[in-house]
Amino acid sequence: MGNMTMRYLFAVALVSLTSIRAGAQDPAGYLKSEADRVGVVERIRPATVAVFARGGQGGGTGVVISDDGYALTNFHVVQPTGPTPQCGLPDGVLYDAVLVGIDKVGDVALIKLIGKKEGQKFPYVQLGDSDLVHEGDWAIAMGNPFLLATDFTPTVTFGLVSGVHRYQYPAGLFLEYTDCIQVDTSINPGNSGGPLFNMKGELIGINGRGSFDKRGRVNSGVGYAISINQIKNFLGHLRAGLAADHASLGALVTTQTDRNGLGRMSITQILEDSDVARRGVDFEDELISFAGRHITSVNHYRNVLGIYPRGWRVPLEYKHDKAKKEVLVRLMGVQKKELPVQAVDDGLPKPEPQPKPAPDKERPMPIPGKGPKAPGPSGAGAKFYQAKEGFANFYFNRLERDRLLAAFKVHGDFSGVAGDWIIEGAVRLKKLRTESKTKIEILEIKEGKSSKSLVKLNIDQYPYELEPLKTSQDPVALKMPETSGGLLAALYLYHTLLTQGAKGFTEINHGGNEPFYPPAIEGKTPSLGALRVDCEVLNSRHGPLLAKWYFSLADKKLLGFEVRTQDNEDPCEVYFADYRPIAGRQLPHRMQVLYGDGHYGTFTLENFNLK
């Protein structure tokens, strides 16, 4: 039998087999799949928001993520609306809204719809897990393309996820899309800020930018959505009314090729005053993993770094002189420490030049700071807006701060014992490796008509003493005892927080959510990632002392805090454990103190005399 005959018979068999399989498929299966898809659309459509400036100018899209009206959108959508946009839902009702928090670098904003009556509940969608999204998955987008939704009913498009973990260059410092989702689901100007769903109806991303045809701003099948897992990292910041910032490492990472042609991620530049340098990472060290992800390229590194907020601590694994090490690194920021809200553009993509063009010639979004000035607050949302430098909306920061402090107070009201505290116990100092008796005194000393605060620490008859608020004080005194980083000052602030709350500080603000890493139990060496506990954070200032307080997300118990006198330095780290009731109040009976890369000591607290 010749080759031609064999090929013919094989082709016939293949066609026959394909026909049999196609015929065997149940048409009812197709109908059910279609019905399920339509059902998902009907379920999620009511939460899609048409976002406008007051009076209907400009606009974009958003999506409600909670029944009390919080909604996600793009920063470049709310940039021209001012702090009080208006939002239409598919129920045909136009609602007043207020800006809550912004992430300029990541192009995300959180707004809140104002109900027509007190306690109104809004339709909302569930947040998905964007790390489970793969190329080839189906995706549904909803939005307001070309602002066609005059009745607030969104357009629905359906397509494939064509790429994950994509990187899109920023416009200057802003609108950087890291680790984003690429889709061929139709996205056009006006869809910005709208939701991208998986087939379960879970929110997996916020649509923001696209690569458009040269002849006009029309869909070209290449759209980009900010992954919902990145947004989750910033959601605590956004709810707290912050103008969030993204992370930088303080080091330059590049790909270098060795003699065998193998690539390695190498540290080629490093800032001397960065935390990564203080942790021992040096020039030409090899970067192995960052935040639990193995790093294989510069693009991969930028993607991972870009999904984290400034100030977070994340595990970094590196190799120095062939020795592998893992350290916790405090991340620096991209923007200046405080950046006021700037003037805005019209919120839709425009063909402006980009400092570093992406390979696909993508059209950049409007650059913050250009265009007409945004309108001021007005309408029903105006009473929920409070301007303050460094914040998107300080009203919500105050709201979140007071909520957290009230939840913390459930563990004990210390306002009635705001006098002198004397705590006795034992401490095992690392440098001595033996247990010693200790006594802590936090006192208020009367001097005529005035008084002064005084903190005393006695360890086996070795006394330490500090006036934490003494003016013109030698900064070295605030770091006592030696190698603790400032435990005496930290104890004073702890007493202040418990007994006076917010009013005891010069300034105290909600800092969003952050990971917290309690020290490992002695004898165990888990990975740093395994130690992580997610917390709500308060940032405080009192005199020369800066503090960051970590409260468990689960029960709002204070797990620990850090104290420093300057932003860019190692703090005194205090970790609490073994909470027990004392006169109806929960107090920790174990306190660990760390400073830099060293463990100062572990305190066992036994007797509490609170006046």
Side-chain angles (χ1 to χ4, degrees):
M1 187 177 295
N3 288 338
M4 292 298 295
T5 305
M6 287 293 292
R7 290 176 182 173
Y8 173 77
L9 292 176
F10 177 79
V12 170
L14 182 61
V15 171
S16 299
L17 182 60
T18 303
S19 300
I20 291 171
R21 287 181 174 175
Q25 289 181 348
D26 183 6
Y30 290 108
L31 295 176
K32 182 180 183 305
S33 177
E34 181 181 353
D36 290 345
R37 185 169 65 248
V38 171
V40 167
V41 169
E42 290 301 315
R43 176 163 52 86
I44 58 183
R45 187 202 307 267
T48 305
V49 181
V51 182
F52 302 98
R54 302 194 68 80
Q57 302 300 312
T61 310
V63 59
V64 183
I65 60 169
S66 65
D67 64 1
D68 52 353
Y70 284 95
L72 290 169
T73 184
N74 284 144
F75 165 65
H76 80 261
V77 168
V78 300
Q79 190 185 12
T81 69
T84 51
Q86 290 183 298
C87 298
L89 289 179
D91 60 8
V93 178
L94 183 67
Y95 295 89
D96 282 323
V98 61
L99 178 67
V100 179
I102 57 174
D103 171 12
K104 297 179 181 180
V105 177
D107 196 20
V108 177
L110 185 71
I111 58 177
K112 190 176 189 298
L113 279 62
I114 311 300
K116 297 296 183 181
K117 57 183 180 181
E118 187 73 24
Q120 178 178 342
K121 300 298 182 183
F122 291 90
Y124 68 99
V125 298
Q126 298 290 337
L127 305 187
D129 184 350
S130 53
D131 285 343
L132 300 180
V133 177
H134 300 285
E135 294 94 337
D137 286 347
W138 293 111
I140 297 172
M142 289 191 181
N144 188 9
F146 304 110
L147 309 185
L148 296 174
T150 54
D151 62 352
F152 314 140
T153 301
T155 296
V156 181
T157 53
F158 178 61
L160 283 175
V161 173
S162 48
V164 295
H165 306 303
R166 305 288 290 180
Y167 179 81
Q168 294 297 306
Y169 285 103
L173 292 177
F174 302 109
L175 313 184
E176 180 182 29
Y177 280 42
T178 58
D179 215 38
C180 63
I181 303 169
Q182 180 180 318
V183 293
D184 77 350
T185 310
S186 294
I187 294 172
N188 286 291
N191 280 103
S192 292
L196 184 71
F197 298 103
N198 62 19
M199 299 312 295
K200 296 179 183 179
E202 296 170 333
L203 183 65
I204 57 174
I206 294 295
N207 302 315
R209 63 196 298 178
S211 299
F212 299 111
D213 189 302
K214 292 181 180 180
R215 296 184 179 179
R217 290 157 48 213
V218 296
N219 170 66
S220 60
V222 185
Y224 303 98
I226 304 146
S227 69
I228 198 63
N229 284 11
Q230 172 179 316
I231 294 172
K232 287 176 183 177
N233 289 338
F234 289 85
L235 200 51
H237 295 65
L238 298 176
R239 281 185 173 272
L242 297 174
D245 193 9
H246 281 239
S248 64
L249 183 61
L252 182 63
V253 180
T254 58
T255 304
Q256 292 186 340
T257 305
D258 61 21
R259 294 177 181 178
N260 298 320
L262 299 176
R264 63 192 292 269
M265 301 306 300
S266 181
I267 305 292
T268 55
Q269 294 183 35
I270 190 166
L271 297 178
E272 292 182 1
D273 60 349
S274 64
D275 191 68
V276 67
R278 291 196 296 270
R279 301 287 72 80
V281 181
D282 205 353
F283 179 71
E284 293 189 345
D285 284 349
E286 180 182 357
L287 176 61
I288 299 173
S289 71
F290 183 83
R293 291 202 203 181
H294 186 70
I295 302 300
T296 58
S297 68
V298 174
N299 186 281
H300 189 195
Y301 164 71
R302 284 178 176 171
N303 263 339
V304 178
L305 179 64
I307 66 176
Y308 294 106
R310 175 187 192 138
W312 273 32
R313 298 179 78 184
V314 298
L316 182 147
E317 192 177 19
Y318 70 102
K319 189 179 291 185
H320 178 81
D321 290 338
K322 298 183 180 181
K324 189 182 292 186
K325 301 181 180 181
E326 188 182 30
V327 293
L328 276 177
V329 176
R330 288 181 176 86
L331 299 174
M332 303 175 72
V334 173
Q335 304 176 63
K336 292 181 180 180
K337 184 62 177 177
E338 290 188 354
L339 192 67
V341 175
Q342 301 185 22
V344 296
D345 204 8
D346 65 1
L348 295 176
K350 287 187 175 181
E352 297 178 358
Q354 188 167 317
K356 190 184 288 184
D360 59 5
K361 299 181 181 179
E362 177 191 348
R363 289 185 182 272
M365 292 301 182
I367 298 175
K370 295 191 176 183
K373 186 177 180 180
S378 59
K383 64 180 180 180
F384 302 107
Y385 178 75
Q386 182 179 352
K388 185 175 181 179
E389 188 175 9
F391 296 84
N393 186 345
F394 189 67
Y395 174 90
F396 283 91
N397 192 277
R398 195 158 37 85
L399 200 69
E400 289 293 282
R401 179 200 69 190
D402 293 346
R403 173 195 56 78
L404 177 55
L405 287 174
F408 171 60
K409 199 171 184 178
V410 171
H411 299 291
D413 184 352
F414 292 87
S415 60
V417 287
D420 296 345
W421 284 21
I422 300 175
I423 306 170
E424 296 176 317
V427 60
R428 184 173 60 81
L429 300 178
K430 181 181 179 181
K431 61 182 180 179
L432 298 179
R433 299 188 179 277
T434 57
E435 194 167 75
S436 307
K437 290 184 178 180
T438 186
K439 183 178 181 181
I440 299 169
E441 298 178 84
I442 307 171
L443 311 170
E444 195 71 17
I445 306 298
K446 298 294 183 182
E447 294 182 337
K449 295 182 178 180
S450 62
S451 64
K452 67 177 182 180
S453 298
L454 186 67
V455 182
K456 294 182 178 182
L457 174 64
N458 192 290
I459 299 176
D460 263 357
Q461 309 306 315
Y462 289 95
Y464 299 91
E465 188 173 298
L466 174 71
E467 291 181 47
L469 300 181
K470 183 179 179 180
T471 58
S472 303
Q473 186 159 220
D474 185 348
V476 175
L478 295 172
K479 301 293 180 69
M480 291 194 304
E482 300 85 352
T483 73
S484 76
L487 177 58
L488 293 179
L491 291 170
Y492 166 73
L493 291 183
Y494 177 60
H495 176 270
T496 301
L497 178 74
L498 265 60
T499 60
Q500 300 183 50
K503 67 178 183 291
F505 295 88
T506 309
E507 185 175 359
I508 184 166
N509 304 313
H510 199 290
N513 296 351
E514 286 191 24
F516 184 70
Y517 302 86
I521 299 174
E522 291 184 23
K524 296 185 178 181
T525 55
S527 67
L528 290 172
L531 298 173
R532 172 174 168 169
V533 180
D534 288 336
C535 291
E536 286 191 69
V537 169
L538 292 179
N539 293 310
S540 70
R541 178 187 292 275
H542 192 45
L545 302 172
L546 305 172
K548 179 179 287 188
W549 309 85
Y550 294 89
F551 300 84
S552 166
L553 274 181
D555 58 9
K556 313 310 177 190
K557 188 173 290 182
L558 182 64
L559 300 185
F561 65 108
E562 301 174 351
V563 178
R564 54 168 62 89
T565 55
Q566 298 179 35
D567 271 332
N568 193 25
E569 67 177 2
D570 282 334
C572 173
E573 304 171 30
V574 180
Y575 298 85
F576 294 132
D578 191 19
Y579 272 86
R580 302 180 206 169
I582 299 292
R585 306 176 182 92
Q586 290 288 326
L587 280 168
H589 284 61
R590 179 182 173 88
M591 180 176 72
Q592 291 175 276
V593 181
L594 279 66
Y595 176 57
D597 296 321
H599 183 278
Y600 172 73
T602 299
F603 291 76
T604 303
L605 309 177
E606 299 170 353
N607 300 315
F608 293 81
N609 183 0
L610 315 181
K611 295 182 181 180

